[in-house]
mmCIF file with all atom_site columns, all heavy atoms in Angstrom:
data_model
loop_
_atom_site.group_PDB
_atom_site.id
_atom_site.type_symbol
_atom_site.label_atom_id
_atom_site.label_alt_id
_atom_site.label_comp_id
_atom_site.label_asym_id
_atom_site.label_entity_id
_atom_site.label_seq_id
_atom_site.pdbx_PDB_ins_code
_atom_site.Cartn_x
_atom_site.Cartn_y
_atom_site.Cartn_z
_atom_site.occupancy
_atom_site.B_iso_or_equiv
_atom_site.pdbx_formal_charge
_atom_site.auth_seq_id
_atom_site.auth_comp_id
_atom_site.auth_asym_id
_atom_site.auth_atom_id
_atom_site.pdbx_PDB_model_num
ATOM 1  N N   . ASP S 1 193 ? -1.211 -84.426 43.011 1.00 95.00 ? 196 ASP S N   1
ATOM 2  C CA  . ASP S 1 193 ? -1.330 -83.079 42.957 1.00 95.00 ? 196 ASP S CA  1
ATOM 3  C C   . ASP S 1 193 ? -1.213 -82.457 41.573 1.00 95.00 ? 196 ASP S C   1
ATOM 4  O O   . ASP S 1 193 ? -0.255 -82.843 40.891 1.00 95.00 ? 196 ASP S O   1
ATOM 5  C CB  . ASP S 1 193 ? -0.437 -82.284 43.900 1.00 95.00 ? 196 ASP S CB  1
ATOM 6  C CG  . ASP S 1 193 ? -0.994 -80.829 44.331 1.00 95.00 ? 196 ASP S CG  1
ATOM 7  O OD1 . ASP S 1 193 ? -1.167 -80.093 43.279 1.00 95.00 ? 196 ASP S OD1 1
ATOM 8  O OD2 . ASP S 1 193 ? -1.044 -80.503 45.433 1.00 95.00 ? 196 ASP S OD2 1
ATOM 9  N N   . VAL S 1 194 ? -1.961 -81.472 41.164 1.00 96.00 ? 197 VAL S N   1
ATOM 10 C CA  . VAL S 1 194 ? -1.814 -80.840 39.866 1.00 96.00 ? 197 VAL S CA  1
ATOM 11 C C   . VAL S 1 194 ? -0.724 -79.865 39.719 1.00 96.00 ? 197 VAL S C   1
ATOM 12 O O   . VAL S 1 194 ? -0.453 -79.298 38.757 1.00 96.00 ? 197 VAL S O   1
ATOM 13 C CB  . VAL S 1 194 ? -3.119 -80.102 39.439 1.00 96.00 ? 197 VAL S CB  1
ATOM 14 C CG1 . VAL S 1 194 ? -4.304 -81.111 39.404 1.00 96.00 ? 197 VAL S CG1 1
ATOM 15 C CG2 . VAL S 1 194 ? -3.508 -79.037 40.469 1.00 96.00 ? 197 VAL S CG2 1
ATOM 16 N N   . ALA S 1 195 ? -0.002 -79.579 40.866 1.00 95.00 ? 198 ALA S N   1
ATOM 17 C CA  . ALA S 1 195 ? 0.889  -78.467 40.897 1.00 95.00 ? 198 ALA S CA  1
ATOM 18 C C   . ALA S 1 195 ? 2.126  -78.654 39.949 1.00 95.00 ? 198 ALA S C   1
ATOM 19 O O   . ALA S 1 195 ? 2.650  -77.489 39.658 1.00 95.00 ? 198 ALA S O   1
ATOM 20 C CB  . ALA S 1 195 ? 1.513  -78.288 42.313 1.00 95.00 ? 198 ALA S CB  1
ATOM 21 N N   . ASP S 1 196 ? 2.410  -79.785 39.352 1.00 96.00 ? 199 ASP S N   1
ATOM 22 C CA  . ASP S 1 196 ? 3.523  -79.883 38.526 1.00 96.00 ? 199 ASP S CA  1
ATOM 23 C C   . ASP S 1 196 ? 3.103  -79.764 36.977 1.00 96.00 ? 199 ASP S C   1
ATOM 24 O O   . ASP S 1 196 ? 3.922  -79.936 36.084 1.00 96.00 ? 199 ASP S O   1
ATOM 25 C CB  . ASP S 1 196 ? 4.254  -81.139 38.737 1.00 96.00 ? 199 ASP S CB  1
ATOM 26 C CG  . ASP S 1 196 ? 3.356  -82.479 38.704 1.00 96.00 ? 199 ASP S CG  1
ATOM 27 O OD1 . ASP S 1 196 ? 2.137  -82.229 38.663 1.00 96.00 ? 199 ASP S OD1 1
ATOM 28 O OD2 . ASP S 1 196 ? 3.867  -83.559 38.741 1.00 96.00 ? 199 ASP S OD2 1
ATOM 29 N N   . VAL S 1 197 ? 1.780  -79.602 36.783 1.00 97.00 ? 200 VAL S N   1
ATOM 30 C CA  . VAL S 1 197 ? 1.232  -79.702 35.415 1.00 97.00 ? 200 VAL S CA  1
ATOM 31 C C   . VAL S 1 197 ? 1.797  -78.485 34.594 1.00 97.00 ? 200 VAL S C   1
ATOM 32 O O   . VAL S 1 197 ? 2.196  -78.614 33.393 1.00 97.00 ? 200 VAL S O   1
ATOM 33 C CB  . VAL S 1 197 ? -0.255 -79.809 35.401 1.00 97.00 ? 200 VAL S CB  1
ATOM 34 C CG1 . VAL S 1 197 ? -0.692 -79.559 33.907 1.00 97.00 ? 200 VAL S CG1 1
ATOM 35 C CG2 . VAL S 1 197 ? -0.679 -81.011 35.908 1.00 97.00 ? 200 VAL S CG2 1
ATOM 36 N N   . ASP S 1 198 ? 1.715  -77.242 35.210 1.00 96.00 ? 201 ASP S N   1
ATOM 37 C CA  . ASP S 1 198 ? 2.108  -76.135 34.394 1.00 96.00 ? 201 ASP S CA  1
ATOM 38 C C   . ASP S 1 198 ? 3.549  -76.171 34.023 1.00 96.00 ? 201 ASP S C   1
ATOM 39 O O   . ASP S 1 198 ? 3.951  -75.620 32.864 1.00 96.00 ? 201 ASP S O   1
ATOM 40 C CB  . ASP S 1 198 ? 1.685  -74.869 35.046 1.00 96.00 ? 201 ASP S CB  1
ATOM 41 C CG  . ASP S 1 198 ? 2.278  -74.647 36.500 1.00 96.00 ? 201 ASP S CG  1
ATOM 42 O OD1 . ASP S 1 198 ? 2.720  -75.664 37.004 1.00 96.00 ? 201 ASP S OD1 1
ATOM 43 O OD2 . ASP S 1 198 ? 2.140  -73.496 36.955 1.00 96.00 ? 201 ASP S OD2 1
ATOM 44 N N   . ASP S 1 199 ? 4.435  -76.537 34.817 1.00 97.00 ? 202 ASP S N   1
ATOM 45 C CA  . ASP S 1 199 ? 5.892  -76.686 34.587 1.00 97.00 ? 202 ASP S CA  1
ATOM 46 C C   . ASP S 1 199 ? 6.087  -77.480 33.180 1.00 97.00 ? 202 ASP S C   1
ATOM 47 O O   . ASP S 1 199 ? 6.674  -77.021 32.325 1.00 97.00 ? 202 ASP S O   1
ATOM 48 C CB  . ASP S 1 199 ? 6.495  -77.246 35.682 1.00 97.00 ? 202 ASP S CB  1
ATOM 49 C CG  . ASP S 1 199 ? 8.036  -77.217 35.537 1.00 97.00 ? 202 ASP S CG  1
ATOM 50 O OD1 . ASP S 1 199 ? 8.579  -78.005 34.645 1.00 97.00 ? 202 ASP S OD1 1
ATOM 51 O OD2 . ASP S 1 199 ? 8.717  -76.471 36.249 1.00 97.00 ? 202 ASP S OD2 1
ATOM 52 N N   . ALA S 1 200 ? 5.467  -78.664 33.208 1.00 98.00 ? 203 ALA S N   1
ATOM 53 C CA  . ALA S 1 200 ? 5.677  -79.554 32.077 1.00 98.00 ? 203 ALA S CA  1
ATOM 54 C C   . ALA S 1 200 ? 4.940  -78.901 30.802 1.00 98.00 ? 203 ALA S C   1
ATOM 55 O O   . ALA S 1 200 ? 5.478  -78.992 29.693 1.00 98.00 ? 203 ALA S O   1
ATOM 56 C CB  . ALA S 1 200 ? 5.149  -80.936 32.311 1.00 98.00 ? 203 ALA S CB  1
ATOM 57 N N   . ALA S 1 201 ? 3.713  -78.464 31.064 1.00 98.00 ? 204 ALA S N   1
ATOM 58 C CA  . ALA S 1 201 ? 2.940  -77.953 29.820 1.00 98.00 ? 204 ALA S CA  1
ATOM 59 C C   . ALA S 1 201 ? 3.575  -76.739 29.278 1.00 98.00 ? 204 ALA S C   1
ATOM 60 O O   . ALA S 1 201 ? 3.727  -76.525 27.948 1.00 98.00 ? 204 ALA S O   1
ATOM 61 C CB  . ALA S 1 201 ? 1.529  -77.529 30.262 1.00 98.00 ? 204 ALA S CB  1
ATOM 62 N N   . SER S 1 202 ? 4.290  -75.800 30.001 1.00 97.00 ? 205 SER S N   1
ATOM 63 C CA  . SER S 1 202 ? 4.963  -74.711 29.420 1.00 97.00 ? 205 SER S CA  1
ATOM 64 C C   . SER S 1 202 ? 6.337  -75.088 28.611 1.00 97.00 ? 205 SER S C   1
ATOM 65 O O   . SER S 1 202 ? 6.597  -74.524 27.700 1.00 97.00 ? 205 SER S O   1
ATOM 66 C CB  . SER S 1 202 ? 5.383  -73.729 30.610 1.00 97.00 ? 205 SER S CB  1
ATOM 67 O OG  . SER S 1 202 ? 4.278  -73.198 31.311 1.00 97.00 ? 205 SER S OG  1
ATOM 68 N N   . ALA S 1 203 ? 6.979  -76.089 29.220 1.00 97.00 ? 206 ALA S N   1
ATOM 69 C CA  . ALA S 1 203 ? 8.177  -76.613 28.606 1.00 97.00 ? 206 ALA S CA  1
ATOM 70 C C   . ALA S 1 203 ? 7.937  -77.328 27.384 1.00 97.00 ? 206 ALA S C   1
ATOM 71 O O   . ALA S 1 203 ? 8.877  -77.423 26.523 1.00 97.00 ? 206 ALA S O   1
ATOM 72 C CB  . ALA S 1 203 ? 8.918  -77.398 29.669 1.00 97.00 ? 206 ALA S CB  1
ATOM 73 N N   . PHE S 1 204 ? 6.827  -78.054 27.279 1.00 98.00 ? 207 PHE S N   1
ATOM 74 C CA  . PHE S 1 204 ? 6.584  -78.885 25.970 1.00 98.00 ? 207 PHE S CA  1
ATOM 75 C C   . PHE S 1 204 ? 5.334  -78.358 25.319 1.00 98.00 ? 207 PHE S C   1
ATOM 76 O O   . PHE S 1 204 ? 4.206  -79.164 25.299 1.00 98.00 ? 207 PHE S O   1
ATOM 77 C CB  . PHE S 1 204 ? 6.470  -80.343 26.442 1.00 98.00 ? 207 PHE S CB  1
ATOM 78 C CG  . PHE S 1 204 ? 7.795  -80.847 26.994 1.00 98.00 ? 207 PHE S CG  1
ATOM 79 C CD1 . PHE S 1 204 ? 8.117  -80.801 28.311 1.00 98.00 ? 207 PHE S CD1 1
ATOM 80 C CD2 . PHE S 1 204 ? 8.716  -81.410 26.092 1.00 98.00 ? 207 PHE S CD2 1
ATOM 81 C CE1 . PHE S 1 204 ? 9.262  -81.290 28.785 1.00 98.00 ? 207 PHE S CE1 1
ATOM 82 C CE2 . PHE S 1 204 ? 9.935  -81.831 26.580 1.00 98.00 ? 207 PHE S CE2 1
ATOM 83 C CZ  . PHE S 1 204 ? 10.132 -81.841 27.860 1.00 98.00 ? 207 PHE S CZ  1
ATOM 84 N N   . PRO S 1 205 ? 5.380  -77.236 24.672 1.00 97.00 ? 208 PRO S N   1
ATOM 85 C CA  . PRO S 1 205 ? 4.108  -76.777 24.012 1.00 97.00 ? 208 PRO S CA  1
ATOM 86 C C   . PRO S 1 205 ? 3.592  -77.560 22.881 1.00 97.00 ? 208 PRO S C   1
ATOM 87 O O   . PRO S 1 205 ? 2.387  -77.432 22.481 1.00 97.00 ? 208 PRO S O   1
ATOM 88 C CB  . PRO S 1 205 ? 4.625  -75.300 23.550 1.00 97.00 ? 208 PRO S CB  1
ATOM 89 C CG  . PRO S 1 205 ? 6.052  -75.464 23.383 1.00 97.00 ? 208 PRO S CG  1
ATOM 90 C CD  . PRO S 1 205 ? 6.459  -76.478 24.456 1.00 97.00 ? 208 PRO S CD  1
#
Side-chain angles (χ1 to χ4, degrees):
D196 196 311
V197 297
D199 54 348
V200 170
D201 54 346
D202 186 290
S205 296
F207 295 91

